[in-house]
Amino acid sequence: MSHDARETLTNPYDNLSLAKKAALRILNVLYIVLPPRLYQAVYHPAFTAYQKLLRGHYWLRWKTQGRAGDPQETLKKKRVHAVMPFSLVGAAGLEHSYDKAQEVLRAHVRGAFVECGVARGGCAALLALVAAEDDRPCWFFDSFAGLPDPTVDD
């Protein structure tokens, strides 16, 4: 396993696309100007549609670019696509998590996979699929109540 901090700390969200940057700005403006109930009424259907669009785009890209290629890459794409509806993590983050979990297996690092704050469970499911290859235990935790509001001590 690499000990190069630059590699292990690479953030797949460092280089957001122009569309994602624009969406974030629009959401921030809407959050500021709309009453909370109206914002929620707009946000949730829009986010659901956005996730479906991303999943469709991922599937189309996978189908046209990689299905006939490397079997390990094909397996990764298939697994990521399968868990996307259950994850708040985007495709880049899921692929990154998958790659790091595979790296742990290849390096024969002992121990369990642990995720704290599983939300909808997509990333946990992806880790469990990788862990099953090595009969590795998994521990997944969530409060099922969200996070408390930050305090002065935070």
Side-chain angles (χ1 to χ4, degrees), residues 45-109:
F47 185 69
T48 300
Y50 173 72
Q51 283 188 310
K52 286 180 181 179
L53 182 67
L54 287 180
R55 188 167 186 255
H57 180 261
Y58 187 83
W59 179 83
L60 185 62
R61 203 177 57 176
W62 165 45
K63 184 178 178 186
T64 58
Q65 292 177 357
R67 277 193 149 166
D70 175 25
Q72 292 300 327
E73 189 68 18
T74 299
L75 180 61
K76 174 174 75 172
K77 301 270 188 212
K78 180 181 177 181
R79 288 176 168 179
V80 166
H81 184 261
V83 303
M84 284 177 80
F86 310 103
S87 182
L88 298 176
V89 179
L94 289 168
E95 285 188 357
H96 187 73
S97 296
Y98 185 90
D99 290 342
K100 291 303 174 184
Q102 286 289 347
E103 192 175 315
V104 166
L105 295 187
R106 284 192 303 274
H108 304 288
V109 176

Side-chain angles (χ1 to χ4, degrees), residues 2 14 18 25 31 53 57 82 92 122 129 137 139 142 151:
S2 172
D14 279 344
L18 185 58
R25 287 183 192 211
Y31 184 78
L53 182 67
H57 180 261
L129 288 169
W139 293 91
D142 202 285
T151 66

Side-chain angles (χ1 to χ4, degrees), residues 17-30 50:
S17 69
L18 185 58
K20 286 183 183 178
K21 287 179 185 176
L24 284 173
R25 287 183 192 211
I26 290 168
L27 285 174
N28 285 334
V29 169
L30 291 176
Y50 173 72

